[in-house]
Amino acid sequence: MSPSQPPASSTPQPETLSGAQIVVRLLERQGITTVAGIPGGAILPFYDALSESRSIHHVLARHEQGAGFMAQGMARATGRPAVCLASSGPGATNLLTAIADAKLDSIPLVAITGQVPQAMIGTDAFQEVDTYGLTIPITKHNFLVSSAEELLRVIPRAFTIAASGRPGPVLVDIPKDVQNQRIEVHEWPTPGAAEAPPAFDSAAIDAAAAMIRAAERPILYLGGGVVHSGAARQAVDLAEKAALPTVMTLMALGAMPVDHPLSLGMLGMHGARCTNFALDECDLLIAVGARFDDRATGKVAAFCPGARIIHIDIDPSELDKIKTAHVGIAGDVSAVLQALLPRVHAMPRTAWLARVARLKADHPLQTPGIDDVRSHYGLIAATAAALDDEATVATDVGQHQMWVAQAYPLRRPRQWLTSGGLGTMGFGVPAAIGAALAEPQRTVVCFTGDGSILMNIQELVTAAEEGVNLKIVLMNNASLGLVYQQQSMFYGKRTFASKFQAVPDFIRLAEACGIRAVDLDATQAPGAALTAALRTPGPCLIHASIDRDQKVYPMVPPGAANKEMIGG
Amino acid sequence: MNANNWSERKALAGAVLEIDVRNHAGVMSHVVGLFSRRAYNLEGILVMPVGAGEQSRVWLKVIEDARLTQMIKQVEKLEDVLAVRRHGADHAVFERIEEFFRAA
Ligand SMILES: Cc1ncc(C[n+]2csc(CCOP(=O)(O)OP(=O)(O)O)c2C)c(N)n1
């Protein structure tokens, strides 16, 4: 946590404060400077107290899901827990998707919701829903607070839980009477911080080192846990020292620069042929902060069929969940890799690296049209060329997401913000706003589709209001492209409910929301227009039509083994 | 897992889990929800406070299937779960209260 955070301290003389004021003070002490939310009756005491804060900036989202994803964007960009706010009832239910998304991608989030007064709970009071019950399965933990006193324990604890071990979302539901209850505060608790990770088994490290030494065709398989744990450097060091070709999950992109000689890029459903072929041949798979997700593994029984497995993860329940590991190490991946590094011998592994180089040469990722800004890959490449590695890249969900994952040269952990586990359309724009709020010095680019952007289009107004340095690249194929692709490939070309009959004028829509807009369709020099738009500060929507019939290739058909790719 | 009538289920290998938890209104939902959302039936549930009432002990009777190890790991992850111990199906706790569960 940031060094500016105060320790536990007794106040010179006790202050009488409301529950709402206590929460605001605890957030300030926590080092929170930006929160996103929407007020409503049951959280108004808190908002009233928040209005007095001089250090917390409140971003007024236009939908609570937007607020939830803005907080996610802040947390994903910085690695620190971020806060979203909603009122009871519909406010809380609108947050659910963003919370569930954070759970599946292990993002530290603290969601604070107002609840009807305790005396009315259970009476079907106006705007009462069982927020606690609704969020049990989608949070790491949740609280229904029953007194102002309890807040002094619960709020720091919420941050500790969100940030410790495998990060995740925590919800704190605070009835209105608790927000209004006034108590004397004699002492402030220490702000919540990540707990020290548990000790790991040193003998297992030796066993893992021996397996790496003995392996002839090892592959390093990095997951999102590498990014969460801040272990990208150690992972690259290990790969270099032990000559390990390296694959990354969607969540791990950026952990190893794509153009690193050992990088095989993304594995799985839309991985390059060479990547999935190399995995098929490996005799040792070293899974680090990865969870063998079905989009990564394809048919599990056929995933790395000849490989022994080392699995390192901070969450013990991930070990042996999908694949049984020969050596499983429950521990913080950064600490485990640090311990593993000195015990691994440097080795050239010439034959295997030559074989992988052969696979790369024979079966590279195909990116047709990459030199043409009017094509999907070309648009992505031109966007990357106009920016540097300091830029942050967010996406929505669909074909555009997979094309960006394949073709954008990601080189930095936390450079890449995408909804992996839940795959939530509507994630992109608000998450990118959150990232831009958290790191205003960066350019944030959000690739989106004409389907996804409409799911949180209202947040363009928030982007305009906040003046964030956000460039939205809208890849418009007048369809729900990924659905259209699946129907074209696996449902006898019956493309039902996936082509839009009506498509809004996105340029005028953006302008109506107060955002500059550039239409690459309308210019003779799309490359220059794109570069100029990307380099002009402030929010901007960049619109480009793309061909509806382009597919994401290669593609592993659902349920098939990864080596059975179509196309590419 | 597909044995649907009670006598068939009784014949399957069982296990008894003993879980120490913090005693508050939401803790049973957290524990039981882990099972229900995986369609993993709980054959028996007992819970009472222990000591001064700060903690409770939950006894669960389950049918053992391939998911049980994973279930125990999931229960162990819960914030309000302090310890999980696994026993065989013949543990006395459910046998002793069986007299309260005779069909009329
Ligand atoms: C909230 C939500 N609803 C439905 C889906 C299913 N889905 C996945 S991709 C997709 C189409 C996305 O279309 P668009 O945003 O235009 O992107 P494209 O695939 O065309 O690039 C749909 C409907 C989803 N992922 N999320």
Side-chain angles (χ1 to χ4, degrees):
Chain A
M1 298 271 107
S2 69
S4 61
Q5 283 171 7
S9 63
S10 33
T11 54
Q13 68 216 100
E15 295 174 84
T16 302
L17 296 170
S18 70
Q21 289 170 317
I22 290 170
V23 178
V24 171
R25 197 73 74 81
L26 290 169
L27 294 180
E28 290 172 347
R29 292 172 57 88
Q30 198 65 48
I32 297 295
T33 52
T34 308
V35 296
I38 299 188
I43 200 172
L44 274 181
F46 174 81
Y47 267 80
D48 196 37
L50 185 60
S51 72
E52 315 253 282
S53 173
R54 270 172 294 156
S55 56
I56 300 179
H57 170 56
H58 177 264
V59 177
L60 180 59
R62 293 334 196 238
H63 186 297
E64 288 84 354
Q65 188 186 109
F69 282 134
M70 285 175 208
Q72 271 217 39
M74 297 184 232
R76 286 178 190 248
T78 64
R80 292 194 299 275
V83 176
C84 56
L85 308 165
S87 194
S88 66
T93 54
N94 274 349
L95 266 188
L96 296 180
T97 301
I99 296 173
D101 188 281
K103 178 75 168 15
L104 279 174
D105 284 348
S106 307
I107 304 303
L109 202 69
V110 174
I112 297 176
T113 48
Q115 182 55 278
V116 302
Q118 290 182 92
M120 295 170 80
I121 287 181
T123 66
D124 294 333
F126 178 63
Q127 296 195 329
E128 181 192 358
V129 294
D130 177 10
T131 305
Y132 183 83
L134 284 170
T135 52
I136 287 174
I138 57 168
T139 51
K140 190 171 170 192
H141 191 59
N142 61 358
F143 297 94
L144 172 56
V145 182
S146 59
S147 70
E149 190 70 41
E150 232 179 273
L151 290 166
L152 291 164
R153 182 180 58 79
V154 165
I155 299 290
R157 187 70 197 146
F159 281 89
T160 298
I161 295 170
S164 297
R166 178 179 185 169
V170 178
L171 179 129
V172 184
D173 198 28
I174 313 178
K176 194 172 183 178
D177 58 311
V178 174
Q179 297 172 47
N180 283 325
Q181 185 192 358
R182 297 178 72 79
I183 59 167
E184 270 189 10
V185 178
H186 299 268
E187 199 183 343
W188 290 103
T190 313
E195 288 167 338
F200 48 84
D201 175 7
S202 175
I205 305 272
D206 288 327
M211 279 168 78
I212 293 172
R213 203 177 318 134
E216 284 177 10
R217 299 181 305 281
I219 286 186
L220 184 61
Y221 157 40
L222 306 180
V226 172
V227 175
H228 297 320
S229 157
R233 182 69 255 161
Q234 289 91 326
V236 173
D237 286 350
L238 177 68
E240 288 173 351
K241 188 167 181 195
L244 305 170
T246 301
V247 302
M248 286 169 273
T249 66
L250 181 69
M251 294 306 296
L253 294 178
M256 174 184 271
V258 277
D259 30 21
H260 190 288
L262 288 166
S263 171
L264 278 160
M266 181 172 71
L267 80 160
M269 183 174 268
H270 296 296
R273 283 184 169 265
C274 55
T275 310
N276 288 333
F277 286 152
L279 282 161
D280 198 57
E281 292 182 16
C282 75
D283 67 352
L284 175 67
L285 185 69
I286 308 153
V288 183
R291 61 182 176 89
F292 293 84
D293 173 76
D294 51 281
R295 296 291 148 123
T297 62
K299 185 180 176 186
V300 177
F303 180 61
C304 303
R308 313 224 307 149
I309 294 172
I310 298 170
H311 193 176
I312 306 167
D313 201 288
I314 193 144
D315 180 352
S317 73
E318 286 302 340
L319 304 179
D320 304 333
K321 184 181 83 173
I322 305 289
K323 276 266 197 193
T324 306
H326 299 82
V327 172
I329 304 174
D332 172 39
V333 298
S334 161
V336 173
L337 292 179
Q338 199 66 52
L340 188 56
L341 263 167
R343 300 190 218 185
V344 166
H345 297 263
M347 49 176 70
R349 245 187 266 281
T350 330
W352 176 228
L353 292 189
R355 171 67 188 150
V356 171
R358 178 86 257 153
L359 285 170
K360 277 182 167 181
D362 290 349
H363 309 282
L365 184 75
Q366 306 286 338
T367 51
I370 195 150
D371 297 322
D372 173 8
V373 185
R374 296 201 197 276
S375 84
H376 51 297
Y377 283 126
L379 181 59
I380 294 163
T383 302
L387 299 167
D388 61 20
D389 295 345
E390 293 308 305
T392 298
V393 182
T395 73
D396 254 306
V397 169
Q399 289 182 309
H400 64 274
Q401 175 190 31
M402 291 300 127
W403 287 323
V404 178
Q406 291 175 328
Y408 197 102
L410 296 163
R411 299 195 181 94
R412 172 173 72 78
R414 302 200 179 282
Q415 184 181 14
W416 169 243
L417 280 50
T418 202
S419 169
L422 198 64
T424 313
M425 293 170 68
F427 168 92
V429 169
I433 293 173
L437 288 163
E439 299 188 316
Q441 75 282 12
R442 296 188 194 276
T443 300
V444 180
V445 52
C446 171
F447 290 92
T448 182
D450 50 313
S452 292
I453 195 176
L454 288 178
M455 292 218 181
N456 272 320
I457 189 78
Q458 75 287 346
E459 302 309 336
L460 292 187
V461 186
T462 316
E465 191 164 281
E466 296 292 325
V468 285
N469 194 18
L470 166 64
K471 319 299 170 201
I472 300 167
V473 178
L474 170 54
M475 302 174 75
N476 184 356
N477 53 10
S479 67
L480 296 167
L482 201 57
V483 173
Y484 181 87
Q485 166 168 349
Q486 300 226 26
Q487 292 172 332
S488 307
M489 291 172 70
F490 308 117
Y491 291 86
K493 298 198 168 60
R494 290 178 299 279
T495 53
F496 173 69
S498 55
K499 286 169 290 184
F500 290 124
Q501 306 298 316
V503 176
D505 180 338
F506 283 106
I507 300 295
R508 284 167 60 197
L509 185 49
E511 287 170 352
C513 295
I515 287 199
R516 238 164 12 94
V518 173
D519 191 358
L520 299 189
D521 296 355
T523 162
Q524 294 300 314
L530 173 67
T531 303
L534 290 168
R535 292 189 181 162
T536 309
C540 179
L541 181 124
I542 300 160
H543 174 267
S545 292
I546 57 160
D547 177 3
R548 173 189 287 164
D549 285 300
Q550 293 300 328
K551 306 274 189 288
V552 185
Y553 285 139
M555 175 166 193
V556 178
N562 274 355
K563 66 176 176 192
E564 292 157 27
M565 292 158 278
I566 301 173
Chain B
M1 242 189 27
N2 293 324
N4 278 324
N5 75 49
W6 173 232
S7 56
E8 279 176 51
R9 294 169 84 98
K10 257 185 132 170
L12 294 172
V16 169
L17 304 182
E18 179 187 4
I19 308 170
D20 294 335
V21 299
R22 284 195 198 97
N23 180 11
H24 71 83
V27 70
M28 284 308 286
S29 288
H30 279 114
V31 173
V32 170
L34 286 179
F35 289 83
S36 58
R37 91 181 69 130
R38 292 172 171 85
Y40 197 134
N41 195 48
L42 294 171
E43 304 294 331
I45 306 174
L46 292 172
V47 57
M48 296 267 276
V50 289
E54 296 274 290
Q55 289 183 23
S56 295
R57 184 162 303 146
V58 182
W59 292 91
L60 299 180
K61 189 177 157 101
V62 296
I63 287 170
E64 187 170 356
D65 73 26
R67 300 171 296 172
L68 188 55
T69 315
Q70 174 65 206
M71 287 311 312
I72 293 171
K73 288 183 182 176
Q74 292 292 340
V75 174
E76 284 171 337
K77 282 207 293 183
L78 292 175
E79 167 78 5
D80 290 323
V81 166
L82 306 167
V84 183
R85 289 174 292 275
R86 179 179 173 167
H87 306 281
D90 53 353
H91 192 280
V93 63
F94 284 100
E95 282 178 11
R96 284 199 209 151
I97 61 152
E98 225 163 65
E99 67 171 293
F100 295 99
F101 292 86
R102 298 223 174 93

PDB file of all heavy atoms in Angstrom, chain A residues 98-110:
ATOM      1  N   ALA A  98     -20.554  -6.069 -12.894  1.00  0.00           N
ATOM      2  CA  ALA A  98     -19.163  -5.617 -12.738  1.00  0.00           C
ATOM      3  C   ALA A  98     -18.481  -6.350 -11.584  1.00  0.00           C
ATOM      4  O   ALA A  98     -17.282  -6.633 -11.637  1.00  0.00           O
ATOM      5  CB  ALA A  98     -19.118  -4.106 -12.519  1.00  0.00           C
ATOM      6  N   ILE A  99     -19.255  -6.681 -10.545  1.00  0.00           N
ATOM      7  CA  ILE A  99     -18.678  -7.423  -9.415  1.00  0.00           C
ATOM      8  C   ILE A  99     -18.342  -8.855  -9.845  1.00  0.00           C
ATOM      9  O   ILE A  99     -17.255  -9.369  -9.563  1.00  0.00           O
ATOM     10  CB  ILE A  99     -19.649  -7.418  -8.213  1.00  0.00           C
ATOM     11  CG1 ILE A  99     -19.849  -5.994  -7.691  1.00  0.00           C
ATOM     12  CG2 ILE A  99     -19.138  -8.330  -7.109  1.00  0.00           C
ATOM     13  CD1 ILE A  99     -20.919  -5.867  -6.613  1.00  0.00           C
ATOM     14  N   ALA A 100     -19.280  -9.488 -10.549  1.00  0.00           N
ATOM     15  CA  ALA A 100     -19.038 -10.861 -11.010  1.00  0.00           C
ATOM     16  C   ALA A 100     -17.829 -10.908 -11.933  1.00  0.00           C
ATOM     17  O   ALA A 100     -17.017 -11.842 -11.892  1.00  0.00           O
ATOM     18  CB  ALA A 100     -20.274 -11.403 -11.728  1.00  0.00           C
ATOM     19  N   ASP A 101     -17.698  -9.894 -12.771  1.00  0.00           N
ATOM     20  CA  ASP A 101     -16.563  -9.804 -13.684  1.00  0.00           C
ATOM     21  C   ASP A 101     -15.249  -9.711 -12.906  1.00  0.00           C
ATOM     22  O   ASP A 101     -14.259 -10.385 -13.233  1.00  0.00           O
ATOM     23  CB  ASP A 101     -16.782  -8.576 -14.586  1.00  0.00           C
ATOM     24  CG  ASP A 101     -15.769  -8.484 -15.706  1.00  0.00           C
ATOM     25  OD1 ASP A 101     -14.635  -8.040 -15.424  1.00  0.00           O
ATOM     26  OD2 ASP A 101     -16.090  -8.843 -16.856  1.00  0.00           O
ATOM     27  N   ALA A 102     -15.271  -8.909 -11.836  1.00  0.00           N
ATOM     28  CA  ALA A 102     -14.066  -8.763 -11.004  1.00  0.00           C
ATOM     29  C   ALA A 102     -13.723 -10.086 -10.319  1.00  0.00           C
ATOM     30  O   ALA A 102     -12.557 -10.425 -10.151  1.00  0.00           O
ATOM     31  CB  ALA A 102     -14.271  -7.666  -9.959  1.00  0.00           C
ATOM     32  N   LYS A 103     -14.747 -10.827  -9.936  1.00  0.00           N
ATOM     33  CA  LYS A 103     -14.493 -12.108  -9.266  1.00  0.00           C
ATOM     34  C   LYS A 103     -13.773 -13.067 -10.211  1.00  0.00           C
ATOM     35  O   LYS A 103     -12.770 -13.679  -9.851  1.00  0.00           O
ATOM     36  CB  LYS A 103     -15.821 -12.716  -8.804  1.00  0.00           C
ATOM     37  CG  LYS A 103     -15.699 -14.083  -8.141  1.00  0.00           C
ATOM     38  CD  LYS A 103     -15.137 -13.939  -6.749  1.00  0.00           C
ATOM     39  CE  LYS A 103     -15.227 -15.161  -5.861  1.00  0.00           C
ATOM     40  NZ  LYS A 103     -15.515 -16.442  -6.414  1.00  0.00           N
ATOM     41  N   LEU A 104     -14.270 -13.160 -11.435  1.00  0.00           N
ATOM     42  CA  LEU A 104     -13.688 -14.139 -12.360  1.00  0.00           C
ATOM     43  C   LEU A 104     -12.287 -13.749 -12.810  1.00  0.00           C
ATOM     44  O   LEU A 104     -11.495 -14.612 -13.184  1.00  0.00           O
ATOM     45  CB  LEU A 104     -14.611 -14.342 -13.562  1.00  0.00           C
ATOM     46  CG  LEU A 104     -15.767 -15.313 -13.269  1.00  0.00           C
ATOM     47  CD1 LEU A 104     -16.733 -15.387 -14.422  1.00  0.00           C
ATOM     48  CD2 LEU A 104     -15.249 -16.699 -12.947  1.00  0.00           C
ATOM     49  N   ASP A 105     -11.978 -12.456 -12.811  1.00  0.00           N
ATOM     50  CA  ASP A 105     -10.638 -12.039 -13.221  1.00  0.00           C
ATOM     51  C   ASP A 105      -9.754 -11.672 -12.017  1.00  0.00           C
ATOM     52  O   ASP A 105      -8.664 -11.123 -12.210  1.00  0.00           O
ATOM     53  CB  ASP A 105     -10.714 -10.858 -14.200  1.00  0.00           C
ATOM     54  CG  ASP A 105     -11.124 -11.310 -15.605  1.00  0.00           C
ATOM     55  OD1 ASP A 105     -11.130 -12.532 -15.863  1.00  0.00           O
ATOM     56  OD2 ASP A 105     -11.445 -10.450 -16.445  1.00  0.00           O
ATOM     57  N   SER A 106     -10.225 -11.950 -10.808  1.00  0.00           N
ATOM     58  CA  SER A 106      -9.435 -11.693  -9.585  1.00  0.00           C
ATOM     59  C   SER A 106      -8.974 -10.239  -9.483  1.00  0.00           C
ATOM     60  O   SER A 106      -7.783  -9.949  -9.355  1.00  0.00           O
ATOM     61  CB  SER A 106      -8.211 -12.621  -9.522  1.00  0.00           C
ATOM     62  OG  SER A 106      -8.605 -13.963  -9.664  1.00  0.00           O
ATOM     63  N   ILE A 107      -9.936  -9.329  -9.549  1.00  0.00           N
ATOM     64  CA  ILE A 107      -9.627  -7.899  -9.488  1.00  0.00           C
ATOM     65  C   ILE A 107     -10.039  -7.363  -8.116  1.00  0.00           C
ATOM     66  O   ILE A 107     -11.173  -7.569  -7.683  1.00  0.00           O
ATOM     67  CB  ILE A 107     -10.394  -7.131 -10.595  1.00  0.00           C
ATOM     68  CG1 ILE A 107     -10.078  -7.714 -11.980  1.00  0.00           C
ATOM     69  CG2 ILE A 107     -10.077  -5.640 -10.529  1.00  0.00           C
ATOM     70  CD1 ILE A 107      -8.615  -7.728 -12.359  1.00  0.00           C
ATOM     71  N   PRO A 108      -9.130  -6.654  -7.429  1.00  0.00           N
ATOM     72  CA  PRO A 108      -9.472  -6.148  -6.097  1.00  0.00           C
ATOM     73  C   PRO A 108     -10.411  -4.940  -6.179  1.00  0.00           C
ATOM     74  O   PRO A 108     -10.060  -3.897  -6.725  1.00  0.00           O
ATOM     75  CB  PRO A 108      -8.109  -5.747  -5.515  1.00  0.00           C
ATOM     76  CG  PRO A 108      -7.267  -5.422  -6.704  1.00  0.00           C
ATOM     77  CD  PRO A 108      -7.746  -6.300  -7.822  1.00  0.00           C
ATOM     78  N   LEU A 109     -11.606  -5.134  -5.655  1.00  0.00           N
ATOM     79  CA  LEU A 109     -12.636  -4.106  -5.758  1.00  0.00           C
ATOM     80  C   LEU A 109     -13.309  -4.027  -4.394  1.00  0.00           C
ATOM     81  O   LEU A 109     -13.519  -5.057  -3.754  1.00  0.00           O
ATOM     82  CB  LEU A 109     -13.647  -4.594  -6.797  1.00  0.00           C
ATOM     83  CG  LEU A 109     -14.546  -3.608  -7.504  1.00  0.00           C
ATOM     84  CD1 LEU A 109     -13.689  -2.764  -8.443  1.00  0.00           C
ATOM     85  CD2 LEU A 109     -15.591  -4.363  -8.322  1.00  0.00           C
ATOM     86  N   VAL A 110     -13.645  -2.820  -3.957  1.00  0.00           N
ATOM     87  CA  VAL A 110     -14.482  -2.687  -2.766  1.00  0.00           C
ATOM     88  C   VAL A 110     -15.746  -1.950  -3.195  1.00  0.00           C
ATOM     89  O   VAL A 110     -15.689  -0.779  -3.588  1.00  0.00           O
ATOM     90  CB  VAL A 110     -13.750  -1.947  -1.625  1.00  0.00           C
ATOM     91  CG1 VAL A 110     -14.704  -1.693  -0.455  1.00  0.00           C
ATOM     92  CG2 VAL A 110     -12.540  -2.759  -1.159  1.00  0.00           C
TER      93      VAL A 110
END
